[in-house]
Amino acid sequence: MGVSVMATQLSLSEGCNRVGKFIKPSVNKKNQITGAHKNDGHLPIHIHFKYRLTESLEGVWSTILHGTTLYVHIPTNTNGEGSKDSFIRLLEYAEEKLKATNVVVFFQEDRSDAPSWMRAFLFLGFSLLPPKHHLRPDNQGFIYMMYVVD
């Protein structure tokens, strides 16, 4: 598997029994994700990761790959159902296919379920990023947590 360095879009197919497969950029089917351009290590790549858990349930994550760090936004409408399984698949994919060395999750600090998300990510091995950390964007109102890929 690989991505053409000439690609301007990245489509990633995910399903219950597949880890992922890169396909032609123009394809946009029910179980596929679109993103942005080549990864030369300097420009960020926007990847939507969608993992179908059942016929009626799928986990969807919006990510940015910048260098070897994958940033994952946790939207306010994300519920716990299916999130854990699809997020674990995302971590596996980040390590095995994207060769990420760090995964940084971020979510709004004023959301009512922020403490629950913090506990969940701490359980998975994430740690809080301090405000001046070099991998933390200077965005106020968000909690940033980092996982170092071994």
Side-chain angles (χ1 to χ4, degrees), residues 8 19 24 28 48 51 59 71 75 93-94 101 121 124 131-133:
T8 57
V19 175
K24 291 185 180 181
N28 190 5
H48 291 288
Y51 184 77
Y71 291 88
Y93 194 86
T101 57
F121 288 121
L124 291 173
K132 298 295 180 186
H133 193 280

Side-chain angles (χ1 to χ4, degrees), residues 52-73:
R52 183 166 303 283
L53 298 157
T54 67
E55 284 299 316
S56 61
L57 181 64
E58 63 186 14
V60 180
W61 303 99
S62 180
T63 70
I64 300 284
L65 180 64
H66 191 254
T68 59
T69 300
L70 184 69
Y71 291 88
V72 183
H73 178 243

Side-chain angles (χ1 to χ4, degrees), residues 1 41 46 51-53 55 59-60 67 78 95 100 110 115 118 137 140 148:
M1 279 192 240
H46 188 207
Y51 184 77
R52 183 166 303 283
L53 298 157
E55 284 299 316
V60 180
T78 301
E95 178 180 5
D110 63 353
M118 286 181 64
Q140 300 298 317
V148 177

Side-chain angles (χ1 to χ4, degrees), residues 107-144:
F107 47 92
Q108 292 176 302
E109 64 185 7
D110 63 353
R111 58 189 284 171
S112 61
D113 60 351
S116 297
W117 282 104
M118 286 181 64
R119 280 191 300 277
F121 288 121
L122 288 170
F123 180 78
L124 291 173
F126 283 76
S127 59
L128 284 170
L129 277 180
K132 298 295 180 186
H133 193 280
H134 72 279
L135 291 178
R136 181 182 170 144
D138 191 25
N139 293 343
Q140 300 298 317
F142 287 90
I143 295 171
Y144 290 87

Side-chain angles (χ1 to χ4, degrees), residues 26-42:
S26 60
V27 176
N28 190 5
K29 294 182 182 173
K30 182 179 180 181
N31 204 27
Q32 295 177 348
I33 308 91
T34 58
H37 51 76
K38 66 181 180 176
N39 185 6
D40 63 3
H42 300 289

Side-chain angles (χ1 to χ4, degrees), residues 6-19:
M6 300 308 285
T8 57
Q9 293 238 352
L10 175 65
S11 294
L12 173 63
S13 175
E14 283 292 320
C16 293
N17 297 321
R18 293 178 279 166
V19 175

